[in-house]
Amino acid sequence: MSSQALATRHITLDALRGFAVMGILAMNIVAFALPEWAYVAPGTYGGDSAADKASWLVSFIFIDGKMRGLFSLLFGASMALIIERAEAKGENPAKVHYSRMVWLLLFGLAHYLFIWWGDILFLYAAIGCIAYRFRNWEAKRLIKWALIIYGLGFLLYALQFGGLQFLQFMATQPGADASVVAQYKEVIASPDFGLDASAEIAAYSGSYAEIVARRWDDALNLLILIAQSFAETLPLMMLGMAMKKNGFLTGEWDRSEYARWARKMLIPGLLISTGLGLWVASSGFDLITTLGNFLAWSLIPRLLMTIGYAALLIMAIQSFAGSALIRRVTAAGRAAFTNYLGTSILMSTIFYGYGLGLYNQMGRASLWFFVLGAWALMLLWSKPWLERFHYGPFEWLWRSLARGKFQPLKK
């Protein structure tokens, strides 16, 4: 491949990663500023004004899971690229890969324990260790098995929440059987549906020591997250590997093909997502309806829109590659690891008790001001930094640790 094609590939991947890390914050901000239930069930915390409800609906339809999905695709693509480079240099690809994953796992653990509970690095490192086994599969095989695993995950969630929603329907009908009503009430009264976040609010409004102590107590959640997210994250990484191999994510397809896939994926994805969002809203944000849509029914449109967004953004990146905005987004993507951890440090300091203490003090709609401010910071610092240095600060640290020696930083 020519040097020009290689440069285009890197610009495409980095710019996509920049858009993804910015988009992830648009959802993560809710988890920084409000109790955990607010992220899943909008009827619990975060305000009930028309603006707050509209903010939830826009986020659910256009952002929730899609930017994380794009980030997962890019993780798989980057993993395949690094393995290819290691093999081309005569290095041991397994050693290079697993060294990176072990250190990423430790970064994720530290991130979870000492900064923020919503970490995905630990999950990515764990799933990345499994995804390595599929590195030599051809693109078609990767896509086939990714869709099978994803479909099985959807089926499991559909059976679980379909059954739960059917139980709710039967228990709330006039003249419902007493045993069915009792079973439904037992489910609703279980700790899994406990909406009282007073202890959580008190902890995150308190001192840094109190917050860290709470995280240590809940550290098992990292393993639970792997179990819950396995059937979504692994297939997305596999798709990312395939889309690197077949040239989709590296910008090598014809523009008409990207346009076709954008239409093919985004139109049905948007229609289904909109329908699901309106269903939740029309239910009055009923908890079981919301959970079913958040964890099960949105899985298919999320996948469609993730791929559709990738195609649409690649077209935009190629069309405006020389623009100031795309150059800054590309830089933000090259420093995505630093931007991800940096926003966690910044936002936890703003909202938690050891910082400005704004936890659970703001409505969902007003949180967009913090998102816009953080986006501006990402775009402002990343480009000038990378004009002077080879890597972002945390990228440099990760690379140095994984390779067992300090890497050159300053250009």
Side-chain angles (χ1 to χ4, degrees):
M1 182 175 290
S2 70
S3 59
Q4 183 178 357
L6 187 61
T8 302
R9 178 205 311 172
H10 288 179
I11 290 171
T12 303
L13 290 176
D14 286 337
L16 281 172
R17 196 177 294 110
F19 283 116
V21 76
M22 292 170 69
I24 285 172
L25 177 61
M27 285 306 303
N28 283 353
I29 191 67
V30 176
F32 283 120
L34 298 167
E36 186 174 354
W37 268 112
Y39 191 95
V40 179
T44 54
Y45 299 90
D48 56 2
S49 70
D52 292 325
K53 292 176 180 178
S55 178
W56 173 83
L57 187 61
V58 168
S59 296
F60 179 83
I61 294 172
F62 294 101
I63 305 171
D64 182 36
K66 290 84 173 176
M67 294 297 103
R68 186 179 68 248
L70 185 56
F71 209 63
S72 300
L73 289 181
L74 292 164
F75 190 91
S78 296
M79 186 175 69
L81 182 62
I82 289 169
I83 291 169
E84 288 178 6
R85 285 177 172 174
E87 291 173 339
K89 293 178 182 177
E91 298 174 337
N92 184 333
K95 181 180 179 181
V96 170
H97 175 74
Y98 285 113
S99 179
R100 294 180 74 249
M101 293 302 101
V102 167
W103 283 108
L104 185 63
L105 196 81
L106 294 175
F107 271 112
L109 182 61
H111 182 220
Y112 176 87
L113 291 175
F114 302 111
I115 302 173
W116 181 51
W117 64 266
D119 172 74
I120 60 169
L121 302 177
F122 191 94
L123 169 68
Y124 276 22
I127 302 299
C129 289
I130 299 170
Y132 179 80
R133 298 182 61 85
F134 312 119
R135 67 195 181 280
N136 293 325
W137 286 14
E138 61 180 16
K140 288 184 179 179
R141 189 182 182 192
L142 282 165
I143 293 170
K144 170 187 162 184
W145 281 100
L147 294 178
I148 289 173
I149 297 169
Y150 198 92
L152 290 173
F154 169 73
L155 181 61
L156 288 174
Y157 270 123
L159 289 172
Q160 179 182 355
F161 285 97
L164 191 58
Q165 288 181 275
F166 181 72
L167 174 64
Q168 181 188 46
F169 173 78
M170 295 301 294
T172 53
Q173 295 303 299
D177 185 272
S179 62
V180 174
V181 174
Q183 183 182 359
Y184 173 65
K185 288 182 177 179
E186 183 180 351
V187 169
I188 293 298
S190 70
D192 291 338
F193 290 90
L195 296 177
D196 182 10
S198 56
E200 183 181 357
I201 294 169
Y204 286 110
S205 301
S207 68
Y208 181 73
E210 291 174 308
I211 292 172
V212 171
R214 179 183 176 88
R215 299 252 182 73
W216 278 96
D217 291 340
D218 295 338
L220 187 62
N221 287 339
L222 285 171
L223 299 181
I224 295 173
L225 178 63
I226 293 173
Q228 291 177 334
S229 304
F230 179 88
E232 181 178 11
T233 306
L234 177 61
L236 286 168
M237 287 187 185
M238 293 171 70
L239 286 174
M241 295 167 71
M243 294 162 80
K244 155 64 181 66
K245 290 173 181 283
N246 66 20
F248 183 100
L249 286 176
T250 52
E252 298 171 46
W253 286 23
D254 187 80
R255 186 176 180 85
S256 63
E257 280 297 293
Y258 286 118
R260 185 171 72 88
W261 277 95
R263 290 192 301 270
K264 189 176 180 180
M265 297 288 105
L266 282 177
I267 292 174
L270 279 169
L271 289 174
I272 298 171
S273 287
T274 301
L276 295 177
L278 293 175
W279 176 21
V280 172
S282 66
S283 75
F285 299 106
D286 169 73
L287 184 57
I288 289 179
T289 303
T290 302
L291 284 173
N293 280 282
F294 179 79
L295 293 172
W297 314 127
S298 62
L299 279 170
I300 299 302
R302 280 212 303 259
L303 178 61
L304 295 175
M305 290 184 66
T306 294
I307 297 171
Y309 276 152
L312 189 65
L313 288 171
I314 288 171
M315 292 172 63
I317 291 163
Q318 291 177 337
S319 296
F320 304 101
S323 69
L325 176 60
I326 293 299
R327 288 201 299 269
R328 288 191 175 273
V329 172
T330 300
R334 286 180 58 197
F337 190 41
T338 299
N339 279 317
Y340 174 73
L341 292 175
T343 52
S344 291
I345 295 169
L346 175 62
M347 294 303 168
S348 59
T349 302
I350 288 173
F351 291 104
Y352 289 172
Y354 58 80
L356 298 182
L358 297 179
Y359 192 75
N360 199 41
Q361 300 296 312
M362 309 191 73
R364 190 179 297 264
S366 60
L367 296 178
W368 279 100
F369 292 106
F370 295 93
V371 173
L372 294 174
W375 285 355
L377 285 175
M378 289 184 198
L379 297 176
L380 285 171
W381 85 270
S382 301
K383 186 173 180 292
W385 175 277
L386 290 170
E387 287 172 351
R388 297 184 62 193
F389 301 98
H390 290 289
Y391 318 103
F394 281 112
E395 282 80 6
W396 171 81
L397 181 59
W398 182 19
R399 186 180 180 90
S400 296
L401 290 169
R403 292 187 172 270
K405 62 180 180 180
F406 288 118
Q407 299 296 296
L409 179 60
K410 192 171 183 178
K411 290 185 177 179

